[in-house]
Amino acid sequence: MNSMDLILQAALDERALSHLYRRRLTHSGPQKPLLQVEGESLLAFCSNDYLGLAADLQVVSALTRAAYEYGCGGGASHLVCGHSQAHHQLEEELAAFTGRERALLFSNGYMANMGVITALTHASDAIFQDKLNHASLIDGGLLSRATFNRYPHLNYDVLEKRLIQSQANRKLVVSDGVFSMDGDTAEIDRLSRVCQSHNAWLMIDDAHGFGCLGENGGGVAEVYRASQAQLPILIGTLGKAFGTSGAFVVGSHALIETLIQFARPYIYTTSLSPAIAEATRVSLSLIQAEGWRRQKLQALIAYFKNGCQALNLPLMPSSTPIQPLQVGGSQQALKISHALREKGILVTAIRPPTVPDGQSRLRVTLTALHDFTHLDRLLDALSDLAPLFVEPVERQS
Ligand SMILES: *Cc1c(COP(=O)(O)O)cnc(C)c1O
């Protein structure tokens, strides 16, 4: 091997030794509870397709119809000639859905977060983020060159103290709405009051709340009835409950125009496929019209939580479709995940650096396409494996 490969291989070997090595599963067919993985049909509990819209026939036919009308690719960036009527209509519908003045589409959530944070903050500013925020928010904060603060998870007293101490020009407070690896939620009302009292701007990334939470699927903003004034910067992604791909930012006219002018991950990239935008318009209407999907999900969540409680499993506190079982050590989490796989069940072990050291877990996610017999199969398997959850926590190297 040449010297680059030797150096890289040493780091890869080290990752494997600490049980942190990642492997990709290759599946075929649609994202459904029974997932076809390498010739096997596995009962999967790891998809973010919470409402079962990714393979919904109405969404799929909107995609194919629009592909005949617009073609496949966006063809250019939005500011050159890639901004289609499909994108524009979806933006207007997202603004109406969230009760905001304007909406702006991005290619994905990672880029939306990078774009918003870097367009709004510079070296003389300060960013305050919940310690458990999604990696894309953290990376946006680092790229902005603003002073970077991470407050303890959901600890708004500490946040408030730091806001009071800060001499920064602009202050941006950033939090997940629903925390992606924990399933708990930010307290938007408290957070909003703290921000308003200290002249800070609040940004919420509700990738996992949209579609799942709120009477109409409006996420944490709807649950807390947070207006544009209370929650001025709101992000949603389209790859989770919407079942398509892409992301959006909603807020004031001035916010959206600022992003169009200054957000580099918006400007210097090809627009989302217009056919995806058309498919998303249909999934947005289904999110609002088909409340049964959320009701089914809530019933499944309650059933799973009861089942875990009866088995005395270390379920983390969450009332969202993200229902993680705390394990601790990475090796142990992998062991349980492998044992489930042998029983035909797919639940991924989530390990550092995605979660803090010593907090590896099995992240169970539920979707409206699961049914109670699926949950019985999972609970039976977990019951057999229950002793593995109480092993002493391994030392992290
Ligand atoms: C998934 C996720 C993202 C990234 O969205 P993509 O569209 O998949 O790039 C951003 N933020 C949170 C909280 C997420 O869970």
Side-chain angles (χ1 to χ4, degrees):
M1 277 197 271
N2 66 36
S3 73
M4 179 188 85
D5 287 349
L6 281 172
I7 291 168
L8 295 183
Q9 194 57 49
L12 290 170
D13 292 346
E14 192 184 307
R15 194 172 178 85
L17 275 176
S18 38
H19 309 286
L20 298 178
Y21 208 86
R22 266 75 167 163
R23 284 186 179 79
R24 302 175 301 173
L25 288 178
T26 311
H27 75 88
S28 54
Q31 199 59 251
K32 291 258 168 88
L34 286 177
L35 194 64
Q36 307 307 313
V37 179
E38 291 152 16
E40 232 183 320
S41 181
L42 296 176
L43 179 57
F45 294 95
C46 11
S47 159
N48 298 322
D49 178 29
Y50 300 120
L51 298 181
L53 292 173
D56 183 274
L57 287 181
Q58 295 175 77
V59 178
V60 173
S61 56
L63 178 83
T64 50
R65 262 185 279 118
Y68 280 105
E69 187 181 342
Y70 287 101
C72 288
S77 66
H78 283 278
L79 298 189
V80 177
C81 65
H83 186 66
S84 71
Q85 193 162 9
H87 297 116
H88 206 74
Q89 283 175 321
L90 175 57
E91 287 179 345
E92 286 179 350
E93 288 161 7
L94 286 166
F97 172 57
T98 53
R100 264 58 182 170
E101 281 169 37
R102 295 274 303 272
L104 189 71
L105 286 174
F106 278 76
S107 298
N108 56 57
Y110 194 100
M111 289 171 72
N113 286 335
M114 299 289 265
V116 173
I117 296 176
T118 55
L120 296 183
T121 57
H122 310 98
S124 56
D125 305 323
I127 299 172
F128 302 82
Q129 296 211 23
D130 190 292
K131 226 173 185 137
L132 297 188
N133 275 355
H134 190 263
S136 57
L137 296 168
I138 305 291
D139 294 356
L142 296 173
L143 190 65
S144 74
R145 289 177 293 151
T147 306
F148 198 38
N149 276 275
R150 295 175 77 182
Y151 58 88
H153 185 46
L154 301 179
N155 193 332
Y156 304 139
D157 293 331
V158 168
L159 168 64
E160 184 160 31
K161 283 195 194 106
R162 294 190 188 165
L163 284 173
I164 292 168
Q165 285 161 3
S166 171
Q167 304 291 317
N169 181 21
R170 298 173 176 184
K171 299 173 200 170
L172 179 68
V173 172
V174 184
S175 175
D176 280 20
V178 172
F179 285 85
S180 54
M181 296 301 133
D182 296 69
D184 55 353
T185 56
E187 285 174 61
I188 304 298
D189 48 354
R190 259 191 81 198
L191 198 48
S192 170
R193 278 198 302 276
V194 168
C195 289
Q196 287 185 329
S197 345
H198 303 289
N199 202 20
W201 305 347
L202 178 58
M203 167 173 173
I204 295 291
D205 170 2
D206 203 19
H208 297 273
F210 273 110
C212 299
L213 305 186
E215 190 70 21
N216 299 299
V220 292
E222 186 183 352
V223 170
Y224 284 92
R225 300 177 195 284
S227 65
Q228 182 176 297
Q230 291 161 321
L231 170 42
I233 310 159
L234 178 58
I235 319 282
T237 67
L238 302 174
K240 281 145 189 164
F242 282 83
T244 60
S245 78
F248 61 89
V249 182
V250 289
S252 66
H253 177 74
L255 171 71
I256 299 305
E257 282 302 315
T258 298
L259 298 176
I260 294 173
Q261 304 305 319
F262 300 112
R264 293 166 66 91
Y266 179 76
I267 299 167
Y268 297 105
T269 196
T270 302
S271 65
L272 193 74
S273 159
I276 288 287
E278 282 295 313
T280 307
R281 293 181 64 203
V282 172
S283 78
L284 174 60
S285 74
L286 294 176
I287 282 175
Q288 294 170 87
E290 299 193 343
W292 67 264
R293 292 176 190 269
R294 271 182 295 285
Q295 286 152 21
K296 168 105 180 279
L297 203 43
Q298 281 310 322
L300 291 164
I301 293 166
Y303 189 86
F304 181 67
K305 286 176 74 157
N306 278 334
C308 286
Q309 208 162 25
L311 294 172
N312 213 7
L313 290 168
L315 198 62
M316 295 172 65
S318 156
S319 51
T320 68
I322 302 167
Q323 292 288 322
L325 288 156
Q326 187 72 258
V327 179
S330 301
Q331 189 174 13
Q332 194 67 9
L334 279 179
K335 190 166 160 185
I336 299 173
S337 175
H338 290 154
L340 285 170
R341 173 85 187 258
E342 275 166 20
K343 294 171 181 285
I345 295 174
L346 188 65
V347 182
T348 12
I350 303 287
R351 293 160 287 160
T354 309
V355 292
D357 269 347
Q359 292 187 28
S360 286
R361 65 199 65 176
L362 293 177
R363 178 175 177 270
V364 171
T365 56
L366 303 176
T367 77
L369 298 183
H370 283 114
D371 60 35
F372 295 104
T373 62
H374 293 145
L375 292 188
D376 286 337
R377 261 189 75 191
L378 174 61
L379 288 164
D380 281 349
L382 288 170
S383 162
D384 293 346
L385 301 175
L388 294 179
F389 283 93
V390 293
E391 295 287 293
V393 173
E394 83 197 69
R395 283 192 67 82
Q396 295 283 326
S397 54

